[in-house]
PDB file of all heavy atoms in Angstrom:
ATOM      1  N   LEU A  41      72.994 109.256 103.129  1.00  0.00           N
ATOM      2  CA  LEU A  41      73.501 110.442 102.431  1.00  0.00           C
ATOM      3  C   LEU A  41      72.334 111.246 101.875  1.00  0.00           C
ATOM      4  O   LEU A  41      72.283 112.467 102.003  1.00  0.00           O
ATOM      5  CB  LEU A  41      74.450 110.021 101.318  1.00  0.00           C
ATOM      6  CG  LEU A  41      75.159 111.104 100.536  1.00  0.00           C
ATOM      7  CD1 LEU A  41      76.037 111.930 101.444  1.00  0.00           C
ATOM      8  CD2 LEU A  41      75.993 110.482  99.448  1.00  0.00           C
ATOM      9  N   ALA A  42      71.375 110.569 101.290  1.00  0.00           N
ATOM     10  CA  ALA A  42      70.219 111.246 100.706  1.00  0.00           C
ATOM     11  C   ALA A  42      69.369 111.929 101.767  1.00  0.00           C
ATOM     12  O   ALA A  42      68.740 112.947 101.505  1.00  0.00           O
ATOM     13  CB  ALA A  42      69.367 110.259  99.921  1.00  0.00           C
ATOM     14  N   ARG A  43      69.381 111.389 102.974  1.00  0.00           N
ATOM     15  CA  ARG A  43      68.592 111.983 104.060  1.00  0.00           C
ATOM     16  C   ARG A  43      69.394 113.005 104.863  1.00  0.00           C
ATOM     17  O   ARG A  43      68.867 113.613 105.780  1.00  0.00           O
ATOM     18  CB  ARG A  43      68.093 110.880 104.988  1.00  0.00           C
ATOM     19  CG  ARG A  43      67.103 109.976 104.290  1.00  0.00           C
ATOM     20  CD  ARG A  43      66.584 108.907 105.208  1.00  0.00           C
ATOM     21  NE  ARG A  43      65.709 108.018 104.456  1.00  0.00           N
ATOM     22  CZ  ARG A  43      65.675 106.717 104.612  1.00  0.00           C
ATOM     23  NH1 ARG A  43      66.448 106.120 105.498  1.00  0.00           N
ATOM     24  NH2 ARG A  43      64.852 105.991 103.895  1.00  0.00           N
ATOM     25  N   GLY A  44      70.680 113.155 104.557  1.00  0.00           N
ATOM     26  CA  GLY A  44      71.516 114.121 105.251  1.00  0.00           C
ATOM     27  C   GLY A  44      71.923 113.697 106.643  1.00  0.00           C
ATOM     28  O   GLY A  44      72.341 114.514 107.450  1.00  0.00           O
ATOM     29  N   GLU A  45      71.815 112.411 106.948  1.00  0.00           N
ATOM     30  CA  GLU A  45      72.155 111.916 108.276  1.00  0.00           C
ATOM     31  C   GLU A  45      73.658 111.709 108.416  1.00  0.00           C
ATOM     32  O   GLU A  45      74.382 111.578 107.434  1.00  0.00           O
ATOM     33  CB  GLU A  45      71.414 110.602 108.534  1.00  0.00           C
ATOM     34  CG  GLU A  45      69.895 110.780 108.517  1.00  0.00           C
ATOM     35  CD  GLU A  45      69.148 109.463 108.589  1.00  0.00           C
ATOM     36  OE1 GLU A  45      69.785 108.398 108.704  1.00  0.00           O
ATOM     37  OE2 GLU A  45      67.913 109.494 108.531  1.00  0.00           O
ATOM     38  N   LYS A  46      74.134 111.658 109.660  1.00  0.00           N
ATOM     39  CA  LYS A  46      75.566 111.502 109.916  1.00  0.00           C
ATOM     40  C   LYS A  46      76.130 110.212 109.339  1.00  0.00           C
ATOM     41  O   LYS A  46      77.294 110.157 108.975  1.00  0.00           O
ATOM     42  CB  LYS A  46      75.842 111.544 111.417  1.00  0.00           C
ATOM     43  CG  LYS A  46      75.715 112.915 112.013  1.00  0.00           C
ATOM     44  CD  LYS A  46      76.097 112.921 113.469  1.00  0.00           C
ATOM     45  CE  LYS A  46      75.924 114.308 114.046  1.00  0.00           C
ATOM     46  NZ  LYS A  46      76.325 114.337 115.455  1.00  0.00           N
ATOM     47  N   CYS A  47      75.321 109.180 109.242  1.00  0.00           N
ATOM     48  CA  CYS A  47      75.816 107.906 108.716  1.00  0.00           C
ATOM     49  C   CYS A  47      76.147 107.996 107.231  1.00  0.00           C
ATOM     50  O   CYS A  47      76.773 107.098 106.669  1.00  0.00           O
ATOM     51  CB  CYS A  47      74.819 106.783 108.975  1.00  0.00           C
ATOM     52  SG  CYS A  47      73.171 107.064 108.277  1.00  0.00           S
ATOM     53  N   GLY A  48      75.799 109.098 106.569  1.00  0.00           N
ATOM     54  CA  GLY A  48      76.128 109.290 105.157  1.00  0.00           C
ATOM     55  C   GLY A  48      77.527 109.838 104.929  1.00  0.00           C
ATOM     56  O   GLY A  48      77.990 109.899 103.792  1.00  0.00           O
ATOM     57  N   ALA A  49      78.220 110.208 106.005  1.00  0.00           N
ATOM     58  CA  ALA A  49      79.562 110.794 105.874  1.00  0.00           C
ATOM     59  C   ALA A  49      80.540 109.865 105.155  1.00  0.00           C
ATOM     60  O   ALA A  49      81.283 110.331 104.286  1.00  0.00           O
ATOM     61  CB  ALA A  49      80.104 111.196 107.242  1.00  0.00           C
ATOM     62  N   PRO A  50      80.580 108.538 105.454  1.00  0.00           N
ATOM     63  CA  PRO A  50      81.507 107.671 104.710  1.00  0.00           C
ATOM     64  C   PRO A  50      81.192 107.597 103.215  1.00  0.00           C
ATOM     65  O   PRO A  50      82.106 107.552 102.389  1.00  0.00           O
ATOM     66  CB  PRO A  50      81.330 106.303 105.373  1.00  0.00           C
ATOM     67  CG  PRO A  50      80.810 106.590 106.732  1.00  0.00           C
ATOM     68  CD  PRO A  50      79.955 107.820 106.573  1.00  0.00           C
ATOM     69  N   ALA A  51      79.919 107.612 102.854  1.00  0.00           N
ATOM     70  CA  ALA A  51      79.545 107.574 101.435  1.00  0.00           C
ATOM     71  C   ALA A  51      79.958 108.867 100.744  1.00  0.00           C
ATOM     72  O   ALA A  51      80.467 108.847  99.620  1.00  0.00           O
ATOM     73  CB  ALA A  51      78.047 107.345 101.284  1.00  0.00           C
ATOM     74  N   ALA A  52      79.778 110.006 101.405  1.00  0.00           N
ATOM     75  CA  ALA A  52      80.179 111.285 100.824  1.00  0.00           C
ATOM     76  C   ALA A  52      81.697 111.355 100.678  1.00  0.00           C
ATOM     77  O   ALA A  52      82.203 111.806  99.641  1.00  0.00           O
ATOM     78  CB  ALA A  52      79.678 112.439 101.695  1.00  0.00           C
ATOM     79  N   ALA A  53      82.410 110.884 101.680  1.00  0.00           N
ATOM     80  CA  ALA A  53      83.879 110.883 101.621  1.00  0.00           C
ATOM     81  C   ALA A  53      84.375 109.995 100.487  1.00  0.00           C
ATOM     82  O   ALA A  53      85.286 110.370  99.738  1.00  0.00           O
ATOM     83  CB  ALA A  53      84.460 110.428 102.952  1.00  0.00           C
ATOM     84  N   ALA A  54      83.779 108.819 100.343  1.00  0.00           N
ATOM     85  CA  ALA A  54      84.180 107.907  99.265  1.00  0.00           C
ATOM     86  C   ALA A  54      83.888 108.508  97.901  1.00  0.00           C
ATOM     87  O   ALA A  54      84.678 108.362  96.966  1.00  0.00           O
ATOM     88  CB  ALA A  54      83.460 106.565  99.427  1.00  0.00           C
ATOM     89  N   TYR A  55      82.756 109.198  97.772  1.00  0.00           N
ATOM     90  CA  TYR A  55      82.409 109.841  96.500  1.00  0.00           C
ATOM     91  C   TYR A  55      83.455 110.893  96.138  1.00  0.00           C
ATOM     92  O   TYR A  55      83.930 110.943  95.002  1.00  0.00           O
ATOM     93  CB  TYR A  55      81.012 110.473  96.590  1.00  0.00           C
ATOM     94  CG  TYR A  55      80.523 110.988  95.269  1.00  0.00           C
ATOM     95  CD1 TYR A  55      79.820 110.160  94.403  1.00  0.00           C
ATOM     96  CD2 TYR A  55      80.770 112.294  94.862  1.00  0.00           C
ATOM     97  CE1 TYR A  55      79.383 110.620  93.172  1.00  0.00           C
ATOM     98  CE2 TYR A  55      80.340 112.764  93.637  1.00  0.00           C
ATOM     99  CZ  TYR A  55      79.642 111.929  92.796  1.00  0.00           C
ATOM    100  OH  TYR A  55      79.223 112.393  91.576  1.00  0.00           O
ATOM    101  N   CYS A  56      83.831 111.715  97.114  1.00  0.00           N
ATOM    102  CA  CYS A  56      84.828 112.765  96.857  1.00  0.00           C
ATOM    103  C   CYS A  56      86.187 112.162  96.521  1.00  0.00           C
ATOM    104  O   CYS A  56      86.860 112.615  95.589  1.00  0.00           O
ATOM    105  CB  CYS A  56      84.944 113.687  98.066  1.00  0.00           C
ATOM    106  SG  CYS A  56      83.482 114.723  98.310  1.00  0.00           S
ATOM    107  N   GLN A  57      86.589 111.148  97.254  1.00  0.00           N
ATOM    108  CA  GLN A  57      87.888 110.526  97.008  1.00  0.00           C
ATOM    109  C   GLN A  57      87.931 109.870  95.639  1.00  0.00           C
ATOM    110  O   GLN A  57      88.977 109.850  94.995  1.00  0.00           O
ATOM    111  CB  GLN A  57      88.212 109.530  98.110  1.00  0.00           C
ATOM    112  CG  GLN A  57      88.521 110.233  99.423  1.00  0.00           C
ATOM    113  CD  GLN A  57      88.648 109.273 100.583  1.00  0.00           C
ATOM    114  OE1 GLN A  57      88.458 108.069 100.445  1.00  0.00           O
ATOM    115  NE2 GLN A  57      88.963 109.817 101.757  1.00  0.00           N
ATOM    116  N   SER A  58      86.797 109.356  95.172  1.00  0.00           N
ATOM    117  CA  SER A  58      86.766 108.732  93.847  1.00  0.00           C
ATOM    118  C   SER A  58      86.939 109.770  92.735  1.00  0.00           C
ATOM    119  O   SER A  58      87.240 109.415  91.604  1.00  0.00           O
ATOM    120  CB  SER A  58      85.464 107.956  93.646  1.00  0.00           C
ATOM    121  OG  SER A  58      84.376 108.839  93.464  1.00  0.00           O
ATOM    122  N   ARG A  59      86.746 111.030  93.073  1.00  0.00           N
ATOM    123  CA  ARG A  59      86.933 112.120  92.107  1.00  0.00           C
ATOM    124  C   ARG A  59      88.171 112.955  92.423  1.00  0.00           C
ATOM    125  O   ARG A  59      88.270 114.111  92.053  1.00  0.00           O
ATOM    126  CB  ARG A  59      85.691 112.998  92.068  1.00  0.00           C
ATOM    127  CG  ARG A  59      84.681 112.375  91.121  1.00  0.00           C
ATOM    128  CD  ARG A  59      83.286 112.423  91.658  1.00  0.00           C
ATOM    129  NE  ARG A  59      82.374 111.744  90.764  1.00  0.00           N
ATOM    130  CZ  ARG A  59      82.083 110.461  90.852  1.00  0.00           C
ATOM    131  NH1 ARG A  59      82.661 109.705  91.744  1.00  0.00           N
ATOM    132  NH2 ARG A  59      81.219 109.906  90.031  1.00  0.00           N
ATOM    133  N   GLU A  60      89.101 112.341  93.147  1.00  0.00           N
ATOM    134  CA  GLU A  60      90.406 112.918  93.477  1.00  0.00           C
ATOM    135  C   GLU A  60      90.318 114.185  94.327  1.00  0.00           C
ATOM    136  O   GLU A  60      91.103 115.114  94.178  1.00  0.00           O
ATOM    137  CB  GLU A  60      91.226 113.158  92.210  1.00  0.00           C
ATOM    138  CG  GLU A  60      91.498 111.878  91.450  1.00  0.00           C
ATOM    139  CD  GLU A  60      92.312 112.087  90.190  1.00  0.00           C
ATOM    140  OE1 GLU A  60      92.700 113.232  89.889  1.00  0.00           O
ATOM    141  OE2 GLU A  60      92.568 111.082  89.508  1.00  0.00           O
ATOM    142  N   PHE A  61      89.354 114.231  95.228  1.00  0.00           N
ATOM    143  CA  PHE A  61      89.267 115.277  96.229  1.00  0.00           C
ATOM    144  C   PHE A  61      89.615 114.651  97.576  1.00  0.00           C
ATOM    145  O   PHE A  61      89.407 113.451  97.789  1.00  0.00           O
ATOM    146  CB  PHE A  61      87.864 115.886  96.278  1.00  0.00           C
ATOM    147  CG  PHE A  61      87.584 116.831  95.144  1.00  0.00           C
ATOM    148  CD1 PHE A  61      87.167 116.353  93.910  1.00  0.00           C
ATOM    149  CD2 PHE A  61      87.733 118.195  95.310  1.00  0.00           C
ATOM    150  CE1 PHE A  61      86.909 117.222  92.861  1.00  0.00           C
ATOM    151  CE2 PHE A  61      87.488 119.077  94.269  1.00  0.00           C
ATOM    152  CZ  PHE A  61      87.070 118.588  93.036  1.00  0.00           C
TER     153      PHE A  61
END
Side-chain angles (χ1 to χ4, degrees):
L41 184 61
R43 294 181 184 141
E45 298 172 3
K46 287 184 181 181
C47 58
Y55 188 89
C56 290
Q57 289 172 357
S58 73
R59 276 138 184 90
E60 299 180 1
F61 284 83

